[in-house]
């Protein structure tokens, strides 16, 4: 696939900027805070309808404006598409393909495929589990757009179940509130002593839900298990395909000295890929954790607590990996993403490299640039051109970026 044009209107710090891409590689060069990353973010938005930098549309709209729009022309093997995403300050965003506004945003996903590699991704290994889950989910949405709907369903059920758990605690508190001169069934000490008799530091044992609340919770348990199972199975399948690709890349980049393992650690036991068995295990674990959930008033079981574990030579990369090892690992993951998406969709995706070359040493830079060549249309941001050899610069389109304006240098 090939991104032919991009037009930003009142997006981030771009007032009105059109870009025509005339080479397989485009280098955006300029000082920090000039808008280089913003341009890549607009492409990410057209691909995933998300930004890894913010969850609020208002942050993407030009200061003082009420609307922003990103449009693009995309060439694919299956044909050309005109893409448009319009963000509004006071109402919902809309998306359109070939001039036709889509009723479901889900239908917009999967048209423009890309892999993004930024300096923030270097925290993928050493960051918390949520970062690895978000990375995995973003990849799945690229490969299987319906997964965005599945994940949304699960999160809606999760929110409703958590609300019911909080409601149950409020009911417990009301039932345990003191009468006029009684606290928790204990007589108060004489006035003025400042203490109560028989004070206990142990929390009260949670009383059972009223029957209607227990029935309602059971309904949410079943929905959580059903939707959560769909999430778990897809995460397991995509990592099963990605892991061997990442292992091969890591083995090559490390000079055949290190062995990478990528392991999915689901919160719910996953002994076989059978939805009925997984759901049964899900419900069993919910029963096991029911008392803890009552105390903590939150759902403790499900894919929102999954982990992805990286080990190098059977040692935790997060806890014991050197900075160089962690960067090699992330680079291997990104190259594996490129290959996997290409295998699934049948053509190379776009590659967005956001200020990442400065974070890699010379060997890793060369490995990345050698892999790209002209196979993947690539947009690269950098503060200087020193990382590129003459051949790369000769075959690249170069834009200078300053205060939200692009100037074609070559």
């Amino acid at each position: 696939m090939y991104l032919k044009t991009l037009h930003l209107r009142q997006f981030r710090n771009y007032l009105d900027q059109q870009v025509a891409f005339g080479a397989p590689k485009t280098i955006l060069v300029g000082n920090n805070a000039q808008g280089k990353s913003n341009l890549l973010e607009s492409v990410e938005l057209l691909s995933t309808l998300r930004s890894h930098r913010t969850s609020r549309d208002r942050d993407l709209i030009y200061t003082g404006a009420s609307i922003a729009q990103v449009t693009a022309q995309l060439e694919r093997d299956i044909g050309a598409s005109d893409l448009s995403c319009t963000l509004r300050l006071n109402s919902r965003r809309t998306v359109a393909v070939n001039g036709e506004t889509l009723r479901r945003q889900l239908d917009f996903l999967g048209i423009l495929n890309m892999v993004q590699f930024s300096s923030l991704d270097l925290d993928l290994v050493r960051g918390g589990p949520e970062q690895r889950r978000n990375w995995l989910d973003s990849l799945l949405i690229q490969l299987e757009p319906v997964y965005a709907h599945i994940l949304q369903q699960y999160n809606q059920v999760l929110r409703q179940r958590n609300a019911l758990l909080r409601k149950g605690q409020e009911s417990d508190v009301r039932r345990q509130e003191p009468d006029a001169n009684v606290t928790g069934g204990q007589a108060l000490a004489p006035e003025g002593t400042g203490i109560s008799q028989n004070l206990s530091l142990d929390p009260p044992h949670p009383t059972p839900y009223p029957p209607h609340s227990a029935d309602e919770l059971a309904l949410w348990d079943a929905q959580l298990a059903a939707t959560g199972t769909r999430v778990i199975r897809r995460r397991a399948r995509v990592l099963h395909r990605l892991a061997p690709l990442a292992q091969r890349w890591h083995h090559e980049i490390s000079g055949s000295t290190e062995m990478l393992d990528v392991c999915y650690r689901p919160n719910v036991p996953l002994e076989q890929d059978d939805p009925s068995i997984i759901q049964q295990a899900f419900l069993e674990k919910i029963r096991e954790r029911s008392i803890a959930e009552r105390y903590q008033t939150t759902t403790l079981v499900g894919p929102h607590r999954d982990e992805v574990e990286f080990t190098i030579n059977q040692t935790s990369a997060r806890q014991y990996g050197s900075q160089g090892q962690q960067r090699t690992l992330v680079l291997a993951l990104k190259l594996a993403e490129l290959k996997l998406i290409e295998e699934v969709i049948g053509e190379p995706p776009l590659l967005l490299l956001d200020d990442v070359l400065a974070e890699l040493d010379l060997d890793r830079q060369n490995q990345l640039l050698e892999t790209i060549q002209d196979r993947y249309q690539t947009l690269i941001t950098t503060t200087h051109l020193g990382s590129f050899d003459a051949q790369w610069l000769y075959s690249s389109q170069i834009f200078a970026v300053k205060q939200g304006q692009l100037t074609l240098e070559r």
Side-chain angles (χ1 to χ4, degrees), residues 234-245 262 264 340:
R234 282 164 174 81
R235 285 179 175 176
R237 287 203 300 261
V238 75
L239 275 182
H240 181 73
R241 296 189 64 175
L242 183 76
L245 299 173
V262 181
Y264 179 40
L340 180 57

Side-chain angles (χ1 to χ4, degrees), residues 275-298:
S276 61
I277 293 176
I278 298 171
Q279 286 187 47
Q280 187 59 41
F282 209 125
L283 292 170
E284 180 62 32
K285 189 165 184 180
I286 287 176
R287 284 191 288 271
E288 292 173 1
R289 303 303 307 274
S290 61
I291 294 177
E293 287 187 338
R294 290 287 305 283
Y295 278 128
Q296 298 183 38
T297 64
T298 192

Side-chain angles (χ1 to χ4, degrees), residues 20 42 61 138 143 169 177 234 256 272 311 319 344 410:
S42 72
I61 299 174
S138 296
L143 299 173
Q169 186 192 53
E177 283 179 350
R234 282 164 174 81
S256 305
Q272 53 183 300
T311 58
Q319 293 179 302
V344 172
R410 181 166 58 210

Side-chain angles (χ1 to χ4, degrees), residues 103-157:
R103 186 176 62 86
R104 298 192 316 165
Q105 294 193 11
L106 174 66
D107 296 330
F108 192 82
L109 298 173
I111 299 175
L112 192 164
N113 298 101
M114 63 90 202
V115 171
Q116 178 159 276
F117 187 7
S118 77
S119 55
L120 297 176
D121 287 314
L122 296 172
D123 287 330
L124 183 61
V125 180
R126 54 180 176 254
E130 184 178 6
Q131 287 181 264
R132 289 180 283 280
R133 289 194 297 267
N134 288 340
W135 158 73
L136 189 58
D137 290 338
S138 296
L139 175 59
L140 265 165
I141 290 171
Q142 295 257 14
L143 299 173
E144 191 177 356
V146 72
Y147 180 75
H149 178 64
I150 292 170
L151 194 62
Q152 183 183 47
Q153 282 185 317
Y154 175 77
N155 286 329
Q156 286 174 344
V157 172

